[in-house]
Amino acid sequence: MAAVLITGANLGIGIGLVRTYLASGWQVIATCRNPDSATDLQNLKNGAGDDLSIIALDVDDQDGIDRAVKDLDGVPVDVLINNAGIVEQEGYGSGAYEGIDDPDLRKYDYPQWEAILRTNVLGPARISGSFVENLKIGENPRIVMMTSGLASIANTWQAGRYAYRTSKAALNMLMRSSGEWFESLGITAVAVSPGWTRTDMGGPNASNSIEEAASGVVKVIDGLTKEDAGKFLNFDGTTLPW
């Protein structure tokens, strides 16, 4: 049975991906910071049984990541989805496109910016490197960086969301620059945007439901070939501009 490891699997698109993969007959390794309080995941576990494993994992904590790697020693991973991420909240609304961002760099919350970069860029780097041995023994192993259309430099001429935008653009560069190394190990790395989705992060006015975003992302992943390595893809399968 093919196995997928998903970070940030307790909320939003993360749990949508868990549901979609379980429905498709995959073995799902769902990770989150606090499994005991992940009510939706625990409810899924009651029905999924051994098909769903829930593991404590904070992408900012290398010691915790090392413990998870030890727990999964020798377990093949066919798909790793770096889904865990954070966005500016206070002062910027709940949705990435609400248009109420304050563009004044003099007022920006720089400690928050640093935290977003740590989670959204260094986190996926830590996770991808740490689980590379699991991927190497998977069939057709793939790494997916969950990015955003807001990472597109070509499509951006709008002030605000500096922390989130720069973190996701950096995540794209991480995928591109590490992609050659992963390719040498037989692993295909891509960046996939789930589109603007109605989650706590995306806000209530977003265009996509969680189910639409998750099913689209999974369809894109299922269709990946080695020739797709290094691409920046949308959940509908189209290629996004850098």
Side-chain angles (χ1 to χ4, degrees):
M1 181 184 296
V4 57
L5 191 157
I6 304 167
T7 65
N10 58 314
L11 296 171
I13 294 170
I15 195 150
L17 290 167
V18 172
R19 292 191 177 105
T20 302
Y21 273 109
L22 286 174
S24 299
W26 281 58
Q27 177 76 35
V28 178
I29 304 166
T31 77
C32 61
R33 287 179 293 180
N34 300 300
D36 290 343
S37 62
T39 304
D40 290 341
L41 268 182
Q42 296 295 345
N43 289 338
L44 283 175
K45 175 67 174 173
N46 292 334
D50 293 339
D51 288 345
L52 174 60
S53 302
I54 305 173
I55 295 177
L57 183 67
D58 182 341
V59 302
D60 294 332
D61 176 14
Q62 186 63 55
D63 289 340
I65 294 170
D66 291 342
R67 288 192 293 272
V69 170
K70 185 176 180 180
D71 290 341
L72 294 173
D73 183 39
V75 176
V77 171
D78 302 285
V79 175
L80 167 60
I81 304 180
N82 285 294
N83 172 71
I86 57 176
V87 68
E88 304 100 322
Q89 291 290 341
E90 186 176 356
Y92 299 91
S94 61
Y97 293 89
E98 290 176 344
I100 62 173
D101 304 27
D102 186 344
D104 192 336
L105 278 170
R106 296 168 297 181
K107 302 177 184 177
Y108 222 77
D109 186 337
Y110 285 92
Q112 183 185 61
W113 194 337
E114 291 174 353
I116 289 170
L117 288 171
R118 281 196 301 273
T119 298
N120 292 2
V121 185
L122 301 186
R126 292 178 188 274
I127 294 296
S128 299
S130 295
F131 286 99
V132 72
E133 295 301 324
N134 301 83
L135 287 157
K136 284 168 63 177
I137 58 175
E139 292 187 18
N140 185 24
R142 288 145 285 173
I143 292 176
V144 177
M145 305 296 189
M146 194 68 80
T147 186
S148 169
L150 292 175
S152 172
I153 295 172
N155 284 343
T156 297
W157 191 249
Q158 177 187 22
R161 289 290 176 193
Y162 302 125
Y164 186 71
R165 287 178 184 274
T166 56
S167 74
K168 291 301 185 178
L171 180 64
N172 283 359
M173 179 55 80
L174 169 65
M175 182 277 296
R176 289 287 295 180
S177 56
S178 63
E180 183 184 24
W181 176 59
F182 287 123
E183 187 176 44
S184 73
L185 301 175
I187 301 167
T188 299
V190 298
V192 180
S193 169
W196 188 22
T197 305
R198 292 188 294 275
T199 63
D200 290 342
M201 184 180 292
N205 299 319
S207 53
N208 296 337
S209 69
I210 290 172
E211 293 74 19
E212 289 169 332
S215 63
V217 169
V218 170
K219 184 176 181 180
V220 169
I221 295 170
D222 285 348
L224 291 175
T225 67
K226 295 185 184 301
E227 286 69 36
D228 293 313
K231 289 186 177 180
F232 178 17
L233 300 168
N234 200 28
F235 76 105
D236 60 5
T238 59
T239 301
L240 292 169
W242 297 108

